[in-house]
Each structure stands twice: as structure tokens, then as C-alpha cells.
Amino acid sequence: MADFDIVVIGGGIVGLSTAMQLSRRFPGIAIAVLEKEPILAGHQTGRNSGVIHAGVYYEPGSLKAQFCRQGSAATMRFCKEHGIPFEQRGKLLVATRADELPRMEKLHERALANGLLVHHVSKEELVEREPHVTGCGALFVPASGIVDYGRITRHMGTNLTDAGGTIMTSADVRDISEQHDSVEIVLNDGILLRARHVVACAGMNADRLARLCGLAADLAIIPFRGEYFRLGSNRNRIVEHLIYPIPDPSLPFLGVHLTPMIDGFVTVGPNAVLAFARNGYRFGDVSSNDLWEMARFRGFRRMIIDNMRSGLTEIANSLSRRRYLALCQRYCPELELTDLHPHPAGIRAQAVNRDGRLLHDFLIERTARTIHVLNAPSPAATSALPIGRHITDIAGAHFNYS
Ligand SMILES: Cc1cc2nc3c(=O)[nH]c(=O)nc-3n(C[C@H](O)[C@H](O)[C@H](O)COP(=O)(O)OP(=O)(O)OC[C@H]3O[C@@H](n4cnc5c(N)ncnc54)[C@H](O)[C@@H]3O)c2cc1C
């Protein structure tokens, strides 16, 4: 006999969205979420920019493009239904140099291809809208918003438990083994659970759990720390919109941005620095185990060689507050070193393949009894509701729940 019909591993927004939607679609089945930390949303979900992305950047037709667009509307609907504060502030993508204008045009075309409403903003209009921001032009994306994703996740958890589901925190999954009629799950304290099916939404440990089920042989999760600063409360009204640079199209990271947070303050960040531990929230955090695992992976070594220059620049910007400030001053020149106060970092779980390529799109794979979310970086918080719906569809089609 199985203890649960479906066990979801991971108490971030993707795991909770999935568990909540499984419980709604298949009422009566026994669902449990296992989270290794004592709280929900302790990693990526609770340590991000809190932006409800509209879906400008992503390859048309990709899962990211589809799910982000659907997800931004679904997130705002969920917030309205549950009384969770959010604000649709709109985003300005600012070209700070003339040579960024062609890339801005490409971004405009991509936004249109993704079916988004986007306006050009001239240099003069930019100053009218945002007196503290300078640039030679911008794109305005009205649909972008801000929210607290940790709060959304906890509401999803309440929906799940109200529907009879179970959430077990401090439950670290150490081993999974797929049998012909069930999946055995071993927890940190040696407890053995049995489930008919497993959905793994384990963020930073996605590859390790997938390998236990025979998947992910040719990719690894590489941790990229995103460091932030918080501006002092005298700067709370320095911007009205979310202010973003024009990103480098070859990288899945969006560049240091100026973001009003839903709690009233403004952050700058995040950069993207290779972390030396999967939970390496500070520069000095090093895990010899994680480093050795990365070094043995061919794709990691290739990635380092191919991105040596940008990687070293990120490290230099991370070590020097003055260099970090210079990135922000490109579009907000009045910021000074004294404006930058410490703010917790986040770490992106980024899948890299054997060729050293950072995977841009979301990646979800399955075995006979398990489904694994293998790559869910930004904008997976925005996209969590459609991702959960997609996984629920897979479970309905292949695991015979109805
Ligand atoms: C710096 C930064 C900024 C970002 N900004 C945005 C943004 O503005 N907008 C946006 O849409 N997205 C943003 N993202 C991306 C977004 O936060 C993530 O894509 C999203 O939170 C992923 O959710 P998740 O549930 O997959 O992962 P997580 O939130 O990391 O959850 C995975 C959970 O699995 C648990 N787990 C792992 N291994 C085990 C195990 N063995 N047993 C039990 N539990 C386990 C972990 O403890 C964790 O709680 C950002 C990410 C970062 C890092």
C-alpha cells in the first residue's frame, strides 16, 4: 500500500502550484509535499526580484514565452482571489547607449511576436516618466508587475491543506527508487515513504533527484548567485516603474535592474556570479562536494572556458561595490555608494548541458512513475501556475488519475 498517491518534492512555488492544482483536478487523491527546509519558499521563490514578468524576452513558441504570458495574468488573478497585494507598475527597458538601440529594436520585435503590448519611449518622455533615470530611449511594457512570491506560495499551501493535502517540512529526500508499482522515498531521518507517483520540483537539487530515476545524464544544475542591494527609505520613490537594462541576448540573465518591491522599498540587482556551493548565498560559501561535482561535469568546464571574460567581470563587480554602483549609475546617475544597503542574495538553479550551454527554456521530463522539473529559472515564479497546470495534464494523461 502506498502512503500517498502523489508526492511532490520541493516546497517552492513550482511544487506548491503543482500540488494545489493536482488536488483540485483529482479530488480525493492523497497528495503530500516534502520540503527539506523548515519553511516553504526558503530558496529561489523567497529570494528573488518579485517581478511578475510580462514575457518580452523569450523565444516565441518556447515554454517560457507561453507560460510567462499566461502566468502573469494567472498570477494577478490568483492574487485578486486571495487578497494578496500586487501592483501592475509597468517596466521600462532602458537603452543607455546608442549602440544598444538596435538590440532594443530586436527586443521590441520579439515582444510583438510574443503578442505583448509595448510602446517606444523617447529620451524626453523617459525623463518625464522617470526624472531620476537617463537613457537614449526605452521600451515601456505596461503589463509587468510586482508581488511577494513567498506569500503566494504559502497561500497555495493553505489551499492544498484545506483540500486535504499534507505538507511535511524538514523532510529532506535523500533517495528515490522507482519500483514497478510504486516509488520508494527515503528521508533524512531514515523514514521510508511509498508513493504511487512522484513529481520532483527540487530547484537546486533537480538534477540529483532526476539522476536517481535515470534522467538528466547529460545536464547539471549550476548555481548562479544574484546579489542585491536595498536602497535607503529616502529613495523609496526614486522610480515608479521597474527599470531594466537591455539584456545580453546570449545569456538567460536580465542584468542589474532597479525594482520597487511590494513592501515599499527599492532594490538594485541581481548580478549573476558563479556560486561555489549550491546554497552559497555569500561569496565565501564554498562546498568542496558541490565544487567537485561541478568540476567533473564536462559541460561546466566548457561553460567556464566559453564565458571566461563575462564570468570574471561578474566576479569583479561582485567584489567591488564601486563597480556594482557603476552598473546602476548607467541609468540612474544620482545613486551613490551610501545608497547601497545589504539585502539577501538569491541563487538561480540553472541547467547547463554537456556542451556548456545554459538551457534557456523550461525543461520537464518523466519516467513511468515520476515527473521532474529539470530547468525552471526565471520567469518560473511568474509562470508557476501554467507550469503546475502542465504537470497536472501530464499526470492525468500518463498516471491515469481522473
Ligand atoms: C535572484 C533571482 C531573481 C529572480 N527574479 C525573478 C522574478 O523577478 N520573477 C520571476 O518570475 N522569477 C524570478 N526568479 C526565478 C524564480 O524565483 C524561480 O524560477 C522559481 O522560484 C523556481 O521555483 P521552484 O519551486 O522551482 O524552486 P525553489 O523555490 O528553489 O524551490 C525548490 C524547493 O525544493 C526544495 N528541495 C530541494 N531538494 C530537496 C530534497 N532533496 N528534499 C526536499 N526538498 C528539496 C528546496 O529546499 C526548495 O525549497 C528569480 C530567481 C533568482 C534566484
Side-chain angles (χ1 to χ4, degrees), residues 9-16 34-37 39-53 58 68 149 171-174 187 201-206 209 224-228 244 254 257 259 270-271 281 345-349 362 373 376-384:
I9 303 172
I13 194 164
V14 175
L16 265 301
L34 308 182
E35 166 52 52
K36 73 178 167 66
E37 304 295 345
I39 53 161
L40 296 178
H43 289 289
Q44 296 177 93
T45 301
R47 290 166 164 268
N48 59 38
S49 305
V51 175
I52 305 174
H53 287 290
Y58 316 113
C68 185
Y149 285 111
D172 186 354
V173 174
R174 296 286 168 84
L187 299 182
C201 309
M204 204 59 75
N205 287 327
L209 294 184
F224 285 93
R225 191 173 49 253
E227 294 158 333
Y228 291 93
Y244 275 65
L254 304 181
H257 43 88
T259 316
N271 55 4
Y281 286 103
I347 304 190
R348 305 170 184 86
F362 299 142
V373 177
S378 186
T382 308
S383 314

Side-chain angles (χ1 to χ4, degrees), residues 213-379:
C213 299
L215 298 174
D218 55 1
L219 62 80
I221 296 292
I222 304 297
F224 285 93
R225 191 173 49 253
E227 294 158 333
Y228 291 93
F229 290 100
R230 173 188 176 142
L231 303 186
S233 54
N234 57 323
R235 299 292 201 182
N236 282 358
R237 308 298 301 186
I238 193 166
V239 287
E240 282 306 309
H241 307 86
L242 291 68
I243 309 295
Y244 275 65
I246 305 296
D248 177 344
S250 67
L251 293 174
F253 309 128
L254 304 181
V256 168
H257 43 88
L258 207 47
T259 316
M261 304 298 278
I262 198 68
D263 291 331
F265 58 93
V266 174
T267 58
V268 289
N271 55 4
V273 193
L274 178 70
F276 302 134
R278 291 202 186 202
N279 285 336
Y281 286 103
R282 287 164 312 171
F283 194 90
D285 291 342
V286 179
S287 155
S288 49
N289 187 33
D290 292 350
L291 267 184
W292 176 235
E293 198 178 333
M294 284 194 257
R296 276 186 320 179
F297 178 59
R298 176 178 178 266
F300 174 75
R301 298 193 301 272
R302 281 230 63 108
M303 181 196 81
I304 294 291
I305 293 165
D306 293 349
N307 298 281
M308 185 67 83
R309 182 192 271 266
S310 60
L312 289 175
T313 306
E314 288 290 340
I315 290 176
N317 292 344
S318 161
L319 289 173
S320 158
R321 205 178 264 228
R322 210 171 276 285
R323 287 182 63 119
Y324 196 108
L325 177 69
L327 294 176
C328 318
Q329 283 175 329
R330 282 173 52 194
Y331 46 82
C332 189
E334 69 189 67
L335 285 178
E336 293 170 6
L337 274 181
T338 49
D339 289 314
L340 304 184
H341 302 281
H343 187 74
I347 304 190
R348 305 170 184 86
Q350 174 62 52
V352 173
N353 72 10
R354 281 181 67 77
D355 299 332
R357 207 166 44 80
L358 279 65
L359 302 194
H360 283 245
D361 209 0
F362 299 142
L363 181 65
I364 298 167
E365 291 187 356
R366 72 174 179 89
T367 64
R369 291 192 168 271
T370 67
I371 300 172
H372 294 260
V373 177
L374 286 167
N375 195 42
S378 186

Side-chain angles (χ1 to χ4, degrees), residues 79-96:
C79 289
K80 278 186 196 148
E81 281 164 21
H82 292 85
I84 301 170
F86 73 97
E87 290 174 29
Q88 196 177 332
R89 295 273 190 121
K91 174 190 288 192
L92 283 162
L93 283 147
V94 179
T96 52

